[in-house]
Amino acid sequence: MTTAPLGGSNTAPVRGRSTRQRAAVAAALDEVDEFRSAQELHDMLKHRGDSVGLTTVYRTLQSLADAGEVDVLRTSDGESVYRRCSSGDHHHHLVCRVCGKAVEVEGPAVEKWAESIAAAHGYVNVAHTVEIFGTCAPCANPGAS
């Protein structure tokens, strides 16, 4: 699995028209600690009895991502996965390939490197995304306590 965790206890508002379906998607994100695909969130909502269309799930996730309220990663097979941001600050992720656990990390060296490379080539208004994938300690050593 190439995804990760999220956390959050407060349901953040969703940009756009406020509807029961959009609130259900936002609440589902608050209940999970791992990155989840739109399909996984849709299945989760369906199993708990919420009638929310898959298109609505995708649109809601996109509006949350645009608002900076969810983190988005691409898995190795190109699928986008989402989780609630636990910090509003710019950050990167260290993601377990096995269980999907993610840790938000700051990367001052990455920030300086990106600025330096951009400046050396005359670029301005530069943004970047850095995700680091590996295996967390519990998955690497399943027998250890």
Side-chain angles (χ1 to χ4, degrees), residues 104-141:
E104 292 183 1
V105 295
E106 293 181 20
V110 170
E111 307 309 322
K112 287 181 183 178
W113 174 80
E115 290 171 16
S116 169
I117 292 296
H121 293 279
Y123 281 65
V124 296
N125 299 325
V126 174
H128 65 274
T129 303
V130 176
E131 311 304 341
I132 304 165
F133 293 90
T135 305
C136 69
C139 290
N141 299 306

Side-chain angles (χ1 to χ4, degrees), residues 17-140:
R17 207 175 85 210
S18 180
T19 66
R20 175 191 57 78
Q21 295 91 345
R22 292 168 80 80
V25 172
L29 279 167
D30 288 335
E31 294 174 15
V32 295
D33 289 333
E34 300 82 24
F35 280 94
R36 300 286 175 98
S37 70
Q39 183 66 53
E40 289 171 324
L41 288 166
H42 178 256
D43 289 345
M44 183 177 153
L45 291 166
K46 188 168 57 172
H47 282 96
R48 67 179 201 198
D50 286 318
S51 176
V52 180
L54 183 57
T55 301
T56 300
V57 173
Y58 276 106
R59 286 186 184 145
T60 301
L61 290 170
Q62 186 59 56
S63 71
L64 287 168
D66 291 346
E69 295 177 26
V70 296
D71 292 326
V72 183
L73 292 179
R74 287 225 184 251
T75 64
S76 57
D77 45 344
E79 182 177 30
S80 292
V81 290
Y82 307 84
R83 76 171 207 157
R84 182 74 72 183
C85 291
S86 51
S87 119
D89 298 329
H90 177 72
H91 59 274
H92 306 283
H93 298 101
L94 178 58
V95 184
C96 180
R97 285 188 192 104
V98 178
C99 70
K101 177 182 178 189
V103 178
E104 292 183 1
V105 295
E106 293 181 20
V110 170
E111 307 309 322
K112 287 181 183 178
W113 174 80
E115 290 171 16
S116 169
I117 292 296
H121 293 279
Y123 281 65
V124 296
N125 299 325
V126 174
H128 65 274
T129 303
V130 176
E131 311 304 341
I132 304 165
F133 293 90
T135 305
C136 69
C139 290

